[in-house]
Amino acid sequence: MSSMMELIDEVWYLGRELVSDEYDQALKRFAEEVPMTIHEYPSGMPAWSWTVPEKWTCHEAYLETLDGRRIVDRADHPLHVVSYSLPFEGIVDREELLAHLHVHPQEPDLIPFVFKYYQRDWGLCLTRNIRDTLDEEQYRVVIRTSFEPGTLKVGEVVVPGEVEESFMLAAHLCHPAQVNDDLAGVVVGLDVMRRLLAGPKPHYTYRFLILPETIGSVSYLSQNEDLISQMVGGLFLEMLGNDSGLALQQSFMPESQSDQALIAALRGVDRDGFVGSYRSIINNDERQFNAPGVRVPMLSLSRVERPELVETMYRPYKEYHSSADTPEIVTQERLEAASEAVLAMLAAYDKNAYVVNHFK
């Protein structure tokens, strides 16, 4: 079996878009580690009020001067092109070009991660330092991308329990060439499931979903409505390899048994960890499970700074959504500590009990 960091090193630089060959490649690799069912949802399939997107492939993307000097090239880094960018080829004036170039809002030497899954537009990403050197009147843009029917894939690992009621774990595999968001959550989830599969049979059934962010959860839930009533709780895993303490975000139903059990367990495994209310720390697929019509109390575990110490929850760590989110900011030790914390939380929930009167 590969270690969590070994798995990260193998797949982190892949262009893991929502529906793409390299996302599929990474998921297939993880399926070699544990027994996994891969669900496929075709492009165009209705997922409640959403629609499964097309498969997107970037064949080539670059920006150059009219005399052929290459300024930006996706061959140098997958983040140089906007995720799900439309194809575009032509010579553009500098003013028009700048409207389609994206830079990091805070860090001048980082390439930002920009996505336009449901907007039809073209664009490139680069460092602000390079953008500020563009002083010629015209430039050549080449973005060769294609959209075609494909299948959105969700990997599911199941640890059968004594009862069919399920506790859900989830992490997202999309985000090209980024590690902490959220390959870190994926490998921690895989480690947890490997250990649960090797241990004694739990009381509850545990299901771990590896999916593309948001649309993956909506697709899975919309096609498994019969399971929703059996989902007793959940925990979303993300950003678990950086050097911040553990943060547990409560569900939409803070009085739920899953909230109470997981909070009690966190206090026993991480003295530096903290608890925040729903959507006060981070926003991710826990929203889909907590949403109206679903209402599964799913919490979220991550490593982020306390909300009062950051400018915005949409930048939970310095390297977030940028070319700096690399294996260098993640360690095996922090991943292992997160895995131990998750196992402690699941053990607390699995052994949770409360008194019910059977007499008047």
Side-chain angles (χ1 to χ4, degrees), residues 122-329:
W122 63 268
L124 295 169
C125 302
L126 69 170
T127 69
R128 191 186 317 155
N129 288 337
I130 292 178
R131 184 202 62 182
D132 291 349
T133 66
L134 302 179
D135 54 7
E136 299 191 17
E137 293 184 2
Q138 292 184 316
Y139 291 87
R140 179 179 292 106
V141 175
V142 174
I143 302 176
R144 297 191 175 110
T145 57
S146 59
F147 295 77
E148 59 186 312
T151 59
L152 181 151
K153 295 178 177 62
V154 174
E156 182 177 29
V157 184
V158 180
V159 178
E162 295 172 351
V163 298
E164 292 186 2
E165 290 176 307
S166 298
F167 190 95
M168 309 298 296
L169 298 170
H172 67 250
L173 180 57
C174 54
H175 289 35
Q178 291 157 83
V179 175
N180 201 41
D181 185 14
D182 183 30
L183 272 183
V186 172
V187 297
V188 167
L190 283 171
D191 186 65
V192 167
M193 298 306 278
R194 282 192 298 207
R195 295 167 70 177
L196 288 176
L197 286 165
K201 190 172 188 176
H203 177 70
Y204 291 101
T205 292
Y206 290 89
R207 298 176 182 271
F208 175 45
L209 304 177
I210 302 175
L211 36 74
E213 186 174 358
T214 305
I215 185 60
S217 293
V218 176
S219 297
Y220 177 87
L221 289 167
S222 70
Q223 301 304 304
N224 290 279
E225 291 187 2
D226 57 317
L227 290 179
I228 294 175
S229 62
Q230 298 177 7
M231 296 178 185
V232 293
L235 182 64
F236 194 83
L237 307 173
E238 60 178 337
M239 307 175 193
L240 291 171
N242 58 317
D243 60 1
S244 297
L246 290 173
L248 183 63
Q249 178 175 270
Q250 291 189 263
S251 77
F252 182 76
M253 295 145 279
E255 300 303 318
S256 73
Q257 291 295 310
S258 55
D259 282 71
Q260 300 306 306
L262 270 58
I263 289 171
L266 176 69
R267 289 171 177 157
V269 297
D270 188 349
R271 293 183 178 180
D272 296 325
F274 66 97
V275 177
S277 59
Y278 181 58
R279 297 191 72 176
S280 68
I281 296 175
I282 201 69
N283 282 314
N284 222 297
D285 289 61
E286 70 280 347
R287 293 173 300 182
Q288 281 64 61
F289 286 83
N290 284 288
V294 182
R295 288 295 191 246
V296 174
M298 178 175 276
L299 295 84
S300 174
L301 184 69
S302 55
R303 290 188 183 277
V304 299
E305 295 296 327
R306 291 178 179 269
E308 63 268 23
L309 300 178
V310 297
E311 299 175 10
T312 169
M313 66 187 300
Y314 298 105
R315 197 190 181 197
Y317 57 98
K318 180 180 178 182
E319 300 86 359
Y320 178 71
H321 276 197
S322 80
S323 54
D325 191 348
T326 68
E328 282 66 38
I329 71 168

Side-chain angles (χ1 to χ4, degrees), residues 38-105:
I38 297 180
H39 304 281
E40 300 193 30
Y41 306 115
S43 298
M45 183 194 83
W48 290 334
S49 59
W50 293 65
T51 301
V52 175
E54 298 164 290
K55 173 184 171 182
W56 182 81
T57 305
C58 181
H59 308 281
E60 188 178 27
Y62 58 86
L63 169 69
E64 64 181 15
T65 59
L66 297 189
D67 61 5
R69 179 173 59 86
R70 194 70 54 95
I71 301 168
V72 168
D73 195 332
R74 184 184 180 274
D76 297 329
H77 200 287
L79 293 186
H80 272 312
V81 64
V82 169
S83 185
Y84 271 71
S85 169
L86 289 175
F88 180 86
E89 294 189 43
I91 295 174
V92 297
D93 294 336
R94 180 177 179 275
E95 184 176 352
E96 179 184 356
L97 173 66
L98 291 177
H100 292 274
L101 296 183
H102 303 271
V103 299
H104 197 285

